[in-house]
């Protein structure tokens, strides 16, 4: 998100994730890795469902806006402001590859959609070249559509965070990191063409 807490959250998340890797044997392919208990398995299953629902909602917002998008969602759970690290959230960012043809009409469509979904919508503008539509629900979920013009180029982005879910962020982040590494190992990047 575009908040002062995002950098703190990312740094703290990296520290927490590194600690989780160290404490559990540092990876999915180590002999020290263990199978999660049933309660951990259920917690992980819930976390995967919540992430999928979140990404699906962002996909729906993208579809309403239209156009081509770059997806920069964080596949890992992030910690909430919780001293015991028993709550987590997900964050996402999507960048539209071309300017919106009609930002006002798009904003109206999104406002209608979000209000139908139970969100409260506020609009913000910091300069004549910047607009935000901020949708928030009672569960702490926030989705921001940002349009700004820099050096004559209009950019459109979605930034979003879920509200906090209950679950051990260390266990969940560790599991998700293992899944990401396994996915990357199964689908290595294509080699660059030789000149």
């Amino acid at each position: 998100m575009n908040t002062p807490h995002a950098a703190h959250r990312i740094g703290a998340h990296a520290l927490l994730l590194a600690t989780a890797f160290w404490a559990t044997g540092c990876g999915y392919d180590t002999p020290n890795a263990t199978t999660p208990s049933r309660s951990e398995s259920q917690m992980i299953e819930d976390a995967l469902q919540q992430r999928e629902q979140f990404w699906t909602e962002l996909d729906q917002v993208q579809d309403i806006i239209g156009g081509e998008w770059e997806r920069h969602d964080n596949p890992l759970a992030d910690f909430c402001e919780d001293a015991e690290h028993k709550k987590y959230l997900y964050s996402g960012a999507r960048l539209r590859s071309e300017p919106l043809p009609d930002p006002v009409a798009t904003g109206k469509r999104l406002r209608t959609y979000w209000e139908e979904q139970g969100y409260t919508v506020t609009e913000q503008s910091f300069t004549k070249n910047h607009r935000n539509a901020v949708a928030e629900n009672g569960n702490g979920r926030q989705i921001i559509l940002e349009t700004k013009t820099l050096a004559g180029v209009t950019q459109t982005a979605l930034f979003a965070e879920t509200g906090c879910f209950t679950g051990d962020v260390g266990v969940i982040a560790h599991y998700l990191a293992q899944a990401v590494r396994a996915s990357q190992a199964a689908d290595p990047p294509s080699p660059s063409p030789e000149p």
Side-chain angles (χ1 to χ4, degrees), residues 4 22 26 47 55 62 64 72 86 99-100 110 115 142 153 173 190:
W22 174 79
C26 299
W55 287 351
Q62 265 184 221
I64 291 168
H72 298 278
K86 299 297 181 192
L100 288 174
L110 273 178
E115 288 175 346
Q142 182 182 66
V153 177
S190 302

Side-chain angles (χ1 to χ4, degrees), residues 4-177:
H5 301 290
H8 168 73
R9 191 169 27 252
I10 290 169
H13 175 67
L15 177 61
L16 179 63
L17 193 56
T19 303
F21 289 155
W22 174 79
T24 58
C26 299
Y28 67 93
D29 57 351
T30 64
N32 296 339
T34 59
T35 304
S37 69
R38 175 63 191 137
S39 62
E40 284 181 351
S41 295
Q42 186 61 51
M43 180 175 53
I44 290 167
E45 184 178 324
D46 292 346
L48 290 170
Q49 288 176 347
Q50 290 153 346
R51 184 181 69 180
E52 188 60 34
Q53 289 170 355
F54 175 59
W55 287 351
T56 297
E57 184 171 5
L58 293 182
D59 290 344
Q60 291 169 341
V61 172
Q62 265 184 221
D63 290 344
I64 291 168
I65 296 170
E68 297 295 319
W69 293 80
E70 295 174 28
R71 187 175 180 160
H72 298 278
D73 301 333
N74 185 353
L76 303 179
D78 206 351
F79 77 94
C80 285
E81 300 297 324
D82 171 36
E84 296 179 19
H85 303 294
K86 299 297 181 192
K87 294 186 184 237
Y88 64 95
L89 58 79
Y90 292 106
S91 61
R94 313 276 177 102
L95 306 175
R96 194 169 192 274
S97 57
E98 67 272 349
L100 288 174
D102 188 347
V104 174
T106 299
K108 287 180 182 178
R109 282 194 317 273
L110 273 178
R111 176 181 279 278
T112 300
Y113 169 77
W114 279 331
E115 288 175 346
E116 288 172 354
Q117 302 301 312
Y119 284 88
T120 301
V121 181
T122 56
E123 294 183 26
Q124 303 168 339
S125 181
F126 303 111
T127 69
K128 69 178 186 157
N129 296 324
H130 178 272
R131 285 186 72 132
N132 273 358
V134 181
E136 298 176 284
N137 73 11
N139 296 323
R141 182 164 295 186
Q142 182 182 66
I143 304 173
I144 300 171
L145 172 66
E146 178 179 81
T147 302
K148 61 184 174 184
T149 303
L150 298 171
V153 177
T154 302
Q155 301 171 340
T156 302
L158 284 171
F159 302 101
E161 279 188 354
T162 64
C164 294
F165 301 108
T166 300
D168 187 324
V169 69
V171 171
I172 294 166
H174 177 70
Y175 175 85
L176 294 174

Side-chain angles (χ1 to χ4, degrees), residues 175-194:
Y175 175 85
L176 294 174
Q178 289 177 345
V180 167
R181 283 195 305 256
S183 174
Q184 290 170 342
D187 189 22
S190 302
S192 299
E194 293 187 26

